[in-house]
Amino acid sequence: VPAMLVPSPPAAARARRALADGGGALGVRVATFSSWIADRWELFGDGRRLVSSAERMLLVRRAIGEAADGGAASGGALADAGAAEAGRGLAPAALEALGATPGTVDLVAGLAREALPWLADAGSSGEASLSDGERAVVAALARYAAKLRAAGLCELSEAAQALSGTLPASPVVTL
């Protein structure tokens, strides 16, 4: 079924109405990118459930807190090798500066929602051009990714990356 991806639910409703009025509504699926990825993930995913907004905020807050205290909440051991590598070489002040304030949690949660697989990999690649603050954020994201895996959850950006290599090519129109 061909799909037409639109930026928001109101845009989807307008597009559906326009297609219905023009007689072209049959055989075309109108969806937002996130709803289209969620549907595809249900069909072709690896069994993990997409994380909800509330779960994301909670897990990000915990990941930031654990990054700041050096993993004390998990017995002093980092959750996985990616989080350990991402936080390597950080000054304690840089980790402490990344407090779990509402603004920081919102920022890191937004980064996770939009680009988790790519940002979590940035820490393990030893990117030298990152500042201490940026490395602290990447370490928190790596810790968040480990928490998602442990809970059997998946971020929308992870699902999009995984599906990009597995779905067959089909006609998709983006607006």
Side-chain angles (χ1 to χ4, degrees):
V1 173
M4 182 166 87
L5 302 180
V6 294
S8 66
R14 285 191 305 271
R16 282 187 203 103
R17 250 181 272 125
L19 286 170
D21 291 344
L26 296 178
V28 176
R29 170 140 193 262
V30 179
T32 63
F33 179 74
S34 58
S35 68
W36 186 78
I37 290 293
D39 288 346
R40 295 296 160 276
W41 187 249
E42 254 184 58
L43 292 172
F44 303 109
D46 61 11
R48 293 180 292 162
R49 182 176 57 81
L50 290 176
V51 67
S52 72
S53 181
E55 291 167 326
R56 178 183 303 112
M57 297 302 268
L58 176 69
L59 291 174
V60 164
R61 182 175 302 280
R62 287 181 182 168
I64 290 171
E66 288 178 16
D69 70 12
S74 58
L78 290 171
D80 75 352
E85 185 63 32
R88 184 165 303 176
L90 285 177
L95 289 172
E96 290 169 9
L98 187 66
T101 64
T104 302
V105 171
D106 284 345
L107 172 70
V108 175
L111 291 170
R113 183 181 59 246
E114 299 297 327
L116 181 64
W118 301 280
L119 291 173
D121 286 347
S124 61
S125 69
E127 184 66 41
S129 65
L130 296 177
S131 70
D132 281 350
E134 291 167 335
R135 282 198 302 272
V137 168
V138 169
L141 285 168
R143 190 176 294 280
Y144 169 70
K147 289 182 172 306
L148 281 177
R149 284 190 298 277
L153 298 171
C154 180
E155 193 58 71
L156 187 70
S157 56
E158 290 179 301
Q161 181 191 41
L163 290 171
S164 69
T166 60
L167 288 180
S170 63
V172 177
V173 178
T174 58
L175 298 178

